[in-house]
Amino acid sequence: MLNKIKLWKKENNSSELRDRIEQIKKLPVPDHVAIIMDGNGRWAKKRALPRIAGHHEGMKVVRKTTKLANELGIKVLTLYAFSTENWKRPKSEVDYLMKLPEEFLGTFLPELMKENVQVRMMGYREELPIHTRRAIEKAIEDTKENDGLILNFALNYGSRAEIIDAVKHILNDCKSGILNEKSLDEHSFSSYLMTSQLADPDLLIRTSGEIRLSNFMLWQLAYTEFWFTDILWPDFKGEHLLEAIEIFQNRQRRFGGI
Ligand code: V0D
């Protein structure tokens, strides 16, 4: 009996979610959603589990979020998985984190292929362990012809370093005559960033209650709508993504109405 009620509840919830998805799809959906996936360590601590248990649970949420984003017609999902600051964490935690891309892709790459998802990465690849880098580069190669959602992992990424590198590259191109100083503007500057082929994010989500950017996409977020939530990343569910998008759509509507 209890099982029957649970099953009914589950089906009822998912049909409720489907209705909500259909409503959302009637209005413009953000093309590019970026997420700072914070709160994995805190989620684990609350349950007296090691931090890595939170990271592992967070990985499963990446899969579900990707699936829903694809279903909603979002074109790009950028996920902040590892910052250039995260190397300061205990070596054992970093070693575990660096195994997650392989585990994720080992489990979900066939599913991503079936869903036509294209995997990309932005960040400093050279500093990643070779096993991590190989797994990611294989996934990028295997999915490069897919024309559905772009799943863009920010991994060993830092925005200030990205901007400095762009400036250095620009100075070099000016010196060698590839670029004319007078033609440098916001548009041409953007083409030197790691996001050169991507539109700027329309919506930024940060979980776990911190209200800051933490060196994430400083240039690209200039006009982005922000949505912050206290929900910890491993607890982030489809309903939360839908809530963020509904709020985004309401803000757009008010903005358009003026
Ligand atoms: C831990 C929450 C998927 C944030 C999500 C190395 C912290 C789970 C990936 C992943 C991490 C990265 C690249 C790729 C495929 C999957 C991932 C890291 C951390 C940092 F091509 N989850 N995930 N990478 N966590």
Side-chain angles (χ1 to χ4, degrees), residues 97-111:
L97 283 167
M98 289 301 156
K99 288 180 193 147
L100 284 182
E102 287 151 284
E103 186 179 348
F104 180 91
L105 295 166
T107 315
F108 303 126
L109 190 58
E111 193 177 310

Side-chain angles (χ1 to χ4, degrees), residues 37 40 54-56 58-60 62 80-82 97-102 104-105 119-121 132 135-136 139 153 155 233:
M37 307 181 287
N40 303 289
H55 296 316
H56 195 263
M59 184 186 72
K60 296 192 221 157
V62 168
Y80 206 3
F82 193 89
L97 283 167
M98 289 301 156
K99 288 180 193 147
L100 284 182
E102 287 151 284
F104 180 91
L105 295 166
V119 176
R120 292 202 199 173
M121 181 201 141
T132 311
I136 296 170
F153 287 99
L155 214 156
W233 178 251

